[in-house]
Structure formats: structure tokens, C-alpha cells
Amino acid sequence: MNHRLNLALLLVTFLTTLTTKSQDLSQDEMLSLDRIYNSNEFVQEYERPMQWIENGDAYIIVEKSQTISNADELIRYDTKTQKRSVFVAGESLTIDGTPLSISSFTLSSDGSKVLFFNNTSRVWRSYSKGDYWVFDFTTNQLKQLGASFEASSLMFAKFSKDNKYVAYVHDFNIYKEDFATGSMTQLTTDGDGAIINGTFDWAYEEEFGKRDGFSWSPNANYIAYWQIDASDIETFFMINNTDSIYSKPIPLQYPKVGRTPSGAKLGIINMNSNQTIWIPVPGDQKNNYLPGMQWVNDDLLLIQQLNRHQNKLSIWSYQPSSKTLKNIYTEEEETWVDLGYPDISADGWGNNDLPLVDNNTAFLRMTENGTWRHIYKINIASGEQLLLTPFDFDVASIRPATNNVVYFMASPNNSTQRYLYKTDLSGKGEVRQITPQIFDGVNNYSFSPNGLYAIHIHQNVLKPRSSQLVELPAHSTIKTLASNKDFDKRLRTLDLPEVRFTTVTTEEGIAIDVRMIMPTDFDPNEKYPVLFHVYGEPWGQVATDTHIGLWNIMMAQKGYVIIDMDNRGTPCLKGSAWRKSIYRQIGVINVKDQADAAKEILKLEYLDNDRTAVWGWSGGGSMTLNLMFKHPEIYKTGIAIAAVSNQLIYDNIYQERYMGLPQENRDDFIAGSPVTHAKNLEGNLLLIHGTADDNVHYQSAELLINELIKQHKLFQFMPYPNRTHSIREGQNTTRHLYYLMTDYLLKNTPVNNN
């Protein structure tokens, strides 16, 4: 009761503390939370999803029909000339007079059919369930697939090459449907949730980016698929207390760290017999992961296998015709082997496919075995390896390899930025930067299949995201897709802060990148409160040349110095030793680096050491807690959102990758867990957590709360009912969250030192 009253008082008194800026500036120059979250004043535009066709010489996007109200239609553009034509008209995409709402679409291999996905529903992070419709150019008709199944229940539908069949997943089983007759054949029968065919459990999706779990062979003679055995995975229950007068448990298959993973095996369905042959990948299925599988040709698969410790990657080839399995590549590290290579210029969760080159006779693989992260070309038949990037800097991520060149992202001289480079596939070591210098900051690219065109996305600290279609390698702009000129123009009417990049060297000699957002009325003779924003784990880098965002601009206008710093273990382009040094030391080495760097930066005379705050989300929430508990002399106020308070309760794939198995080094897990050090809390702490967080469970907050109560430590807590890890579901949620955070900072780390 008192807790709810305290939160109410925080919000009631918010308006009395929110205005701290001098009245010399006009209202239009100042940001407020309502302007940010409760108006349409600052709305960014994004490029429409694009489907490349004709190997990239053309593409299709969804646009609104010019003849039918509220109807979507497909428009074809010639990539180079931008000649526009209607591909599928809006009047062809109606169901009983109602326009078909399009979430996404794909084309059949011969372009004779378009597969539409709509009425989607969420599975963990992505909206991967829904309804599928096919527009057939030969009949000019729209037809629903799997019409006899319940609505919004199909996943990953795709045509065979001859367009005779379409395959999809329904209720953990794979089906094929004869497109002409509508007759269905169930290809797997044992899927029931504990056994999962053609898709994945929570852990594989979250940590390996796996969602779509089956694929046709190029000539459609086979379907290769994953089967996940989650029968031994224990159920974690989340509780829905708000949608009924009786609470409802929400079951979640979730393998906690130290618990046996789901088993995984790979099957091939012969389309003539509809029977499955299991690929005999060696090793215990529940102590090895299978994060990658792809067709090279109709009689050759590549399979990626990781051991339980994730420090050994084996790549196998398999021939269905001869049932021959061959190990063609092995990579081992003392720490862990990366698959996804988290990076600010990567596309996040991917399918883990290995880029194929040299007419599909070789593949590319990035490795960390040396000083730097490099790209190697591996011959599939012989296993012979060729170094393609023999230079002294890191590759951040790979882009497509075409026309005897491979594109990649890097930034040899500044880890806070990213640029596109290319080199040849012969290993001669010739390298060229493709991104023009005018695009300083962070760049990203999505390539056409032929590698001649790309969507280029650019931003920097004070330049919002923009995207353009470019021709490569000249990097000439064909068309601006999303300029955000209006958004940028509105930003320029604001009182904007200066953003400074620097480095600080800790007492151990570690050079830490620092991004400082200065107060807009900065006076070096004044003292300012400091707001540290942190993450600090292998999946995030924060001191980057990316747009600082409206909330940071507002806080700078109020008079805060906002500081982002990247410790060892973050995915900075500073060499393999930098990134891998965090192994078995999450919560220890990264926390020490942050605290030591803070000590150095706080020597600046205009920073007030008595008004210091720190905040972070997820891994950043864990970092916030550890900093508050281990270094109360530095950090006076903290806001921890969706934090892992105890490393022994997080999922096994992530935590074991970076920490090992708790059966072998449990003390490392305990030493790095915030709950271990909660007794040292001295400052002001606000905990925030969503009760339906399927990633970092609400359990994490309650375990910490119990420990803080036990240690007689006072704190504030805000649970968000039925919100997930992102805490964005429900009306007004984001606005409420940032109101709460802002008010807490203004009260406990005030701008005016009075």
C-alpha cells in the first residue's frame, strides 16, 4: 500500500520538478516528455520492406492503391531506372470485397505466384504465426492456404520450385499442400509442443536467432528440417493477474543455466515417399547444439554443430543420395565461438547461414582465433582455408560476396563508427572503403542478390536515421527511401547539446571509449549532475556514433551530462582479446572497468561527484545493480530495468556461452551476480520489471527484492503488469516509464545543487 502511495506521489509531484531550464529559451526549443511520447511532432519515417526480384535488377514494395480506398497493392520498380509499374493491383487483393492487409510477401521462384502473410500473431519476439494467401498470375485469383485450420496458425509457408506444393508448419508439424487441389499431407506427426518440428523453442529463437526450421532443397526433391526435443525442459510459469478476476498461469519452456538443453536433430523428408531420414550428426543430442543448416545444392547440405560449452564449432557436409556425412571444418577456442557476431552494423538475429562463394564450392567464416576477427574462405570438398582479410583490424560483419569480391563492415580507426569495405576472394589483401567519407557515423547495408545494389542506412549522434538505394561499388544514390528531413528539421529547431567523444585510461591501463552528451547551457565553471548509461555485456556497445535520441536531448536541456562508456567484453572493434576477456567474468571485469573509468572521468571539474546516477536495461540493468552495490562511493542513484539479479536463473545458451557451466565454476556466477552484493546498497535505487518478461523473468526482481528486504535496504519498485522484456505493451506504457524515470532522477539527482 505504501509503495503504491509513493509511486502516486512521484507522479503527482512530477510537474513541480520537471521545469528546470531557464525561461530565456522559447518553449519550441525545449523538449518535454509529452512532446516526445504524447504527440506526433517527432515521427521518423522508415523505408518500406522490399522484395528483390530478377536477381536484384528489380524490386517490389507495398504501396497504397490509387483506385481502391485502404487497399494495398504491389508495385514493381526497376532498380536502376526506377521505372514504376503495378505488379499486383489492389482490386486483385480483396476477400469478399475487403482489401487484404499485407504484413509481408514473397514470390515463387518462377515469379508466377505471390505468397502473402497477414493476420499475424506473436511468438516470443516475432510475429511468425498468421494466415497465408496466394495470388496466382495464371488465374488472377487469390486463394488461402491451410483454410481448414484455425485462423493465424500457420508458420513459414514456402513454395516448392515447381510450384506444385507449398509447405508450412502448423501446431509443431510440417505439412505440404497441393496448390492446385488443396489436398494436404502431414509430413511429420509427432509434434506436440514437447517435440517441435520445423520451428524452435524459446531458447533457440532467443539465442541463435532460429525461427524458420525447414527448407526445400533447390530442386524440391527434399525438405530438410529441425526437430527439437524439449520434453525434458522444465516449465517456468508467468502469471497474468489483470485479464480475468482469476489469475492465469502462462507456461514457458525455459532451460535455466546448468540445466540440460533441448535436444536437436536434423531430418530430411524425401518428397517421393514423404518419409524422414535422420542425419547421423555425432554426439549427444542434448549436449550439442545445431544452430545452422543450409542447402548447397540438391544433394548437399552444410550443418553447423556447437558443443554444450560453445567453444567448438564443427561444420559437416551431408549428401542425401549417398547418406555421407563428412567433417570439413572445426574451430575451437578457449572461451567461446561466436556465430552471430553481435555488432552495431549487423542485422541482429539471423539465420546463421554461411555465405557461399565460388559457385557454391566454398563458404566464408569469420574467426576470432588470432589477434583480430578475420574472414576465411573454406573449400567444401577439401576443407582448405584461405585468409581473405590479412590486415591488422577487425571485421565487424560480413555482407554478400559476389563478382569475386566480398563486402564487409569495419572501422579500423574508430570503434564507435562503421563503414562498408570490400576485398577480393583470392586472398590478395587488397581492401577499399566503399562508404563515402561524408557518411561519418554508423552505416549499415542490405544487399541485392547480385551485389550491385543495396539499401544504405546512415546515422550519427545528431543526424537521424536515413536510408537510400545505392548502386555499388560507386555508392551512387539511385533513390532516397527515407530522408527524415522533416524530423531533422524539427530537431534543428531545438536547443541541441554538444556531443563529445573521448577515451579515458583506467588505473590498469585500459583505454575506454566515452561518449558525453553535454548540457545545452554548458558552462565549464559550473557543476553538473552526471547520468551514466550502461550495458557492458557481449551483446551491446553504447558509446557509438548513433543518434542520441530525444530523451537524452531533453535530459541535456535539463542540465545533465549523459555518459556512455564501453568496457572490455563489449563488441568494440579492439581485437579479440578485448572481446573475449570477459569470459567467466561477467559482473566482475566489466563492472570494474566501468567503475575505474567513472573515477577517471569524474575528475573533470565540471562533474559533480555527489550527484551521480546510473541506469541500464537488461544486461545494463544488471550492470547498474552491480555498480550500485559494489561502488556506492561513486554511484548515488540507480535505475535498473529488467535486470538479471542472479546469473543462475538466466537461460543456459547465453549464460553458459560466456560463463561456462555452473557445475564447473559456480563461484564465478555468484561473484558476478548483483544479488550477492545487495547488502552494500547505500544510494537511491529504483527497480523496474515487466511481470510477463519471458526473457529475464519477473522472478529476478523478486529474488533481489527479498535480499534487499533481508538486508534492510530501502528502495523503490515499479512492476509493469503483463509487459514483456521491452515494457512497451499496453496503452501509455512507454510514456509512463520515462515519466517515472525522469522524475526519479530529478528528485534524487537534482539539476540545481540547492
Side-chain angles (χ1 to χ4, degrees):
M1 183 68 179
N2 289 336
H3 171 60
R4 290 195 295 271
L5 178 61
N6 287 339
L7 287 175
L9 288 173
L10 284 177
L11 293 175
V12 168
T13 59
F14 179 78
L15 293 177
T16 66
T17 61
L18 204 56
T19 305
T20 59
K21 186 76 176 178
S22 167
Q23 297 302 314
D24 293 340
L25 293 169
S26 71
Q27 189 175 9
D28 288 342
E29 293 176 282
M30 303 299 295
L31 274 175
S32 68
L33 286 163
D34 279 340
R35 287 186 74 185
I36 297 172
Y37 298 111
N38 201 35
S39 74
N40 293 319
E41 189 176 356
F42 297 94
V43 178
Q44 292 200 57
E45 60 176 326
Y46 293 86
E47 64 279 1
R48 294 187 179 97
M50 177 185 295
Q51 175 74 46
W52 297 103
I53 61 173
E54 300 169 27
N55 202 31
D57 289 332
Y59 63 88
I60 298 171
I61 62 174
V62 178
E63 293 183 0
K64 287 298 179 183
S65 172
Q66 299 177 0
T67 58
I68 300 179
S69 177
N70 297 319
D72 291 333
E73 60 186 9
L74 297 190
I75 305 298
R76 179 195 182 277
Y77 285 90
D78 180 274
T79 306
K80 191 173 181 65
T81 67
Q82 286 298 290
K83 181 180 179 181
R84 181 185 186 275
S85 59
V86 175
F87 192 74
V88 182
E91 53 263 30
S92 297
L93 300 177
T94 59
I95 306 164
D96 297 328
T98 301
L100 180 73
S101 176
I102 301 172
S103 298
S104 64
F105 65 93
T106 55
L107 270 66
S108 61
S109 59
D110 66 351
S112 68
K113 298 176 180 63
V114 185
L115 185 64
F116 294 98
F117 186 46
N118 77 341
N119 191 26
T120 61
S121 60
R122 187 171 174 179
V123 180
W124 316 130
R125 288 183 182 268
S126 62
Y127 287 82
S128 51
K129 278 188 179 181
D131 295 331
Y132 285 93
W133 302 78
V134 177
F135 178 77
D136 188 346
F137 284 102
T138 60
T139 62
N140 288 321
Q141 291 183 340
L142 189 66
K143 177 181 178 181
Q144 185 177 8
L145 299 175
S148 62
F149 292 125
E150 63 268 26
S152 188
S153 66
L154 303 189
M155 305 174 75
F156 315 123
K158 51 186 79 80
F159 272 101
S160 59
K161 186 177 181 179
D162 60 8
N163 296 315
K164 182 177 181 181
Y165 295 103
V166 62
Y168 46 75
V169 173
H170 171 72
D171 277 352
F172 310 109
N173 282 305
I174 302 172
Y175 292 76
K176 72 174 182 180
E177 180 174 331
D178 187 304
F179 180 71
T181 67
S183 64
M184 288 187 295
T185 303
Q186 187 170 345
L187 299 176
T188 66
T189 58
D190 52 354
D192 57 5
I195 300 298
I196 301 169
N197 295 301
T199 185
F200 296 91
D201 62 352
W202 184 94
Y204 260 77
E205 175 175 322
E206 175 67 21
E207 303 302 352
F208 291 135
K210 304 303 298 180
R211 297 183 178 93
D212 185 348
F214 78 93
S215 60
W216 290 96
S217 63
N219 291 329
N221 293 324
Y222 307 101
I223 286 178
Y225 71 99
W226 274 266
Q227 182 181 91
I228 302 297
D229 182 356
S231 57
D232 291 335
I233 302 301
E234 294 175 78
T235 301
F236 186 90
F237 288 97
M238 300 178 291
I239 304 296
N240 181 340
N241 282 311
T242 62
D243 291 346
S244 172
I245 59 173
Y246 287 97
S247 61
K248 179 182 178 181
I250 304 171
L252 170 67
Q253 294 170 326
Y254 190 101
K256 298 278 188 176
V257 62
R259 301 301 179 101
T260 302
S262 300
K265 60 181 180 178
L266 302 173
I268 296 180
I269 306 173
N270 186 307
M271 287 296 100
N272 291 322
S273 64
N274 294 332
Q275 298 299 308
T276 291
I277 297 173
W278 298 107
I279 302 175
V281 181
D284 182 355
Q285 292 176 7
K286 294 192 175 182
N287 276 292
N288 288 277
Y289 299 109
L290 297 172
M293 174 179 65
Q294 66 195 98
W295 289 100
V296 176
N297 55 53
D298 203 54
D299 195 33
L300 189 64
L301 275 167
L302 287 182
I303 298 165
Q304 298 177 60
Q305 181 187 40
L306 272 176
N307 63 337
R308 170 80 179 270
H309 285 80
Q310 299 177 67
N311 57 10
K312 180 180 179 180
L313 170 67
S314 301
I315 298 179
W316 306 84
S317 66
Y318 181 74
Q319 268 191 317
S321 61
S322 64
K323 300 181 181 179
T324 301
L325 183 70
K326 177 183 177 183
N327 179 242
I328 57 175
Y329 177 82
T330 301
E331 180 181 327
E332 295 187 70
E333 293 199 32
E334 293 181 359
T335 55
W336 72 88
V337 174
D338 260 318
L339 292 176
Y341 296 99
D343 185 71
I344 56 176
S345 63
D347 295 324
W349 289 268
N351 59 15
N352 300 329
D353 281 357
L354 298 160
L356 298 174
V357 296
D358 295 348
N359 295 317
N360 289 8
T361 62
F363 62 86
L364 303 182
R365 166 74 190 149
M366 291 197 299
T367 74
E368 294 265 22
N369 283 326
T371 303
W372 306 101
R373 180 189 294 154
H374 282 309
I375 303 173
Y376 284 82
K377 180 170 69 172
I378 293 93
N379 183 279
I380 295 175
S382 67
E384 180 183 358
Q385 301 180 26
L386 177 65
L387 175 63
L388 300 184
T389 55
F391 34 71
D392 294 334
F393 62 84
D394 280 313
V395 173
S397 53
I398 300 179
R399 293 300 181 271
T402 56
N403 302 322
N404 202 39
V405 301
V406 58
Y407 289 96
F408 61 92
M409 304 303 300
S411 184
N413 303 312
N414 187 340
S415 183
T416 71
Q417 300 177 334
R418 297 292 187 273
Y419 301 96
L420 182 67
Y421 288 78
K422 76 167 186 175
T423 191
D424 59 81
L425 285 172
S426 62
K428 295 179 181 178
E430 298 174 358
V431 64
R432 173 186 165 194
Q433 181 175 326
I434 301 300
T435 308
Q437 290 295 337
I438 58 171
F439 294 106
D440 62 302
V442 172
N443 298 273
N444 202 352
Y445 293 82
S446 177
F447 275 70
S448 64
N450 57 18
L452 300 178
Y453 309 100
I455 300 171
H456 169 223
I457 299 169
H458 170 257
Q459 61 178 309
N460 61 32
V461 288
L462 292 177
K463 186 73 174 176
R465 183 187 190 278
S466 65
S467 61
Q468 42 273 327
L469 177 64
V470 298
E471 186 174 8
L472 297 172
H475 208 284
S476 55
T477 299
I478 296 173
K479 181 181 182 180
T480 297
L481 302 175
S483 68
N484 274 312
K485 286 184 177 179
D486 291 341
F487 182 84
D488 190 41
K489 185 177 180 180
R490 287 190 176 275
L491 284 178
R492 301 301 161 185
T493 67
L494 299 173
D495 186 27
L496 293 176
E498 176 191 359
V499 182
R500 300 177 180 178
F501 284 92
T502 187
T503 59
V504 296
T505 302
T506 69
E507 60 185 11
E508 290 187 355
I510 308 300
I512 303 290
D513 287 336
V514 181
R515 186 181 79 174
M516 299 177 65
I517 303 171
M518 308 303 290
T520 54
D521 60 353
F522 178 68
D523 180 347
N525 298 312
E526 296 291 330
K527 288 279 191 180
Y528 294 93
V530 183
L531 176 58
F532 291 100
H533 170 242
V534 294
Y535 184 73
E537 295 194 11
W539 271 89
Q541 187 179 346
V542 294
T544 58
D545 198 355
T546 52
H547 194 260
I548 59 175
L550 295 173
W551 188 72
N552 278 337
I553 294 173
M554 185 195 74
M555 297 303 285
Q557 289 178 346
K558 293 183 182 302
Y560 288 90
V561 177
I562 302 133
I563 298 177
D564 292 277
M565 300 190 293
D566 285 310
N567 48 263
R568 284 174 291 175
T570 53
C572 299
L573 303 184
K574 295 186 174 185
S576 299
W578 170 279
R579 291 183 291 273
K580 297 303 181 74
S581 61
I582 201 170
Y583 185 60
R584 294 191 174 184
Q585 294 197 72
I586 288 181
V588 178
I589 190 175
N590 52 343
V591 173
K592 178 173 174 52
D593 278 0
Q594 284 284 337
D596 287 350
K599 291 176 185 176
E600 296 300 321
I601 203 76
L602 288 171
K603 292 177 181 177
L604 294 170
E605 292 187 359
Y606 53 81
L607 300 182
D608 190 340
N609 291 14
D610 293 325
R611 289 183 291 159
T612 56
V614 59
W615 83 281
W617 203 309
S618 192
S622 308
M623 173 71 81
T624 296
L625 294 174
N626 267 322
L627 291 172
M628 289 290 293
F629 299 159
K630 291 185 175 184
H631 297 280
E633 76 283 3
I634 301 176
Y635 306 94
K636 313 302 182 184
T637 296
I639 302 175
I641 306 176
V644 177
S645 66
N646 187 337
Q647 294 183 23
L648 293 170
I649 66 170
Y650 197 51
D651 82 73
N652 55 6
I653 297 179
Y654 180 94
Q655 208 68 50
E656 292 175 7
R657 177 188 303 147
Y658 304 120
M659 290 295 294
L661 273 62
Q663 294 91 326
E664 300 169 355
N665 57 305
R666 185 181 180 87
D667 288 348
D668 293 334
F669 288 79
I670 294 172
S673 293
V675 69
T676 304
H677 313 284
K679 60 182 179 294
N680 299 321
L681 175 64
E682 294 180 11
N684 312 297
L685 177 61
L686 172 61
L687 304 176
I688 298 172
H689 217 111
T691 67
D693 191 335
D694 60 278
N695 186 351
V696 181
H697 301 150
Y698 182 69
Q699 169 194 46
S700 179
E702 292 202 347
L703 288 172
L704 180 60
I705 289 168
N706 265 345
E707 183 63 22
L708 290 168
I709 293 170
K710 174 183 175 181
Q711 300 296 336
H712 195 59
K713 299 295 180 179
L714 301 182
F715 59 96
Q716 296 290 325
F717 177 53
M718 178 65 199
Y720 277 91
N722 290 333
R723 271 65 168 190
T724 64
H725 195 58
S726 61
I727 313 184
R728 64 184 179 188
E729 299 83 4
Q731 186 175 356
N732 200 46
T733 298
T734 300
R735 176 171 173 252
H736 186 278
L737 172 64
Y738 280 92
Y739 259 76
L740 179 65
M741 290 170 55
T742 305
D743 190 59
Y744 193 79
L745 291 169
L746 288 171
K747 286 183 177 301
N748 293 290
T749 310
V751 176
N752 296 315
N753 192 18
N754 297 324

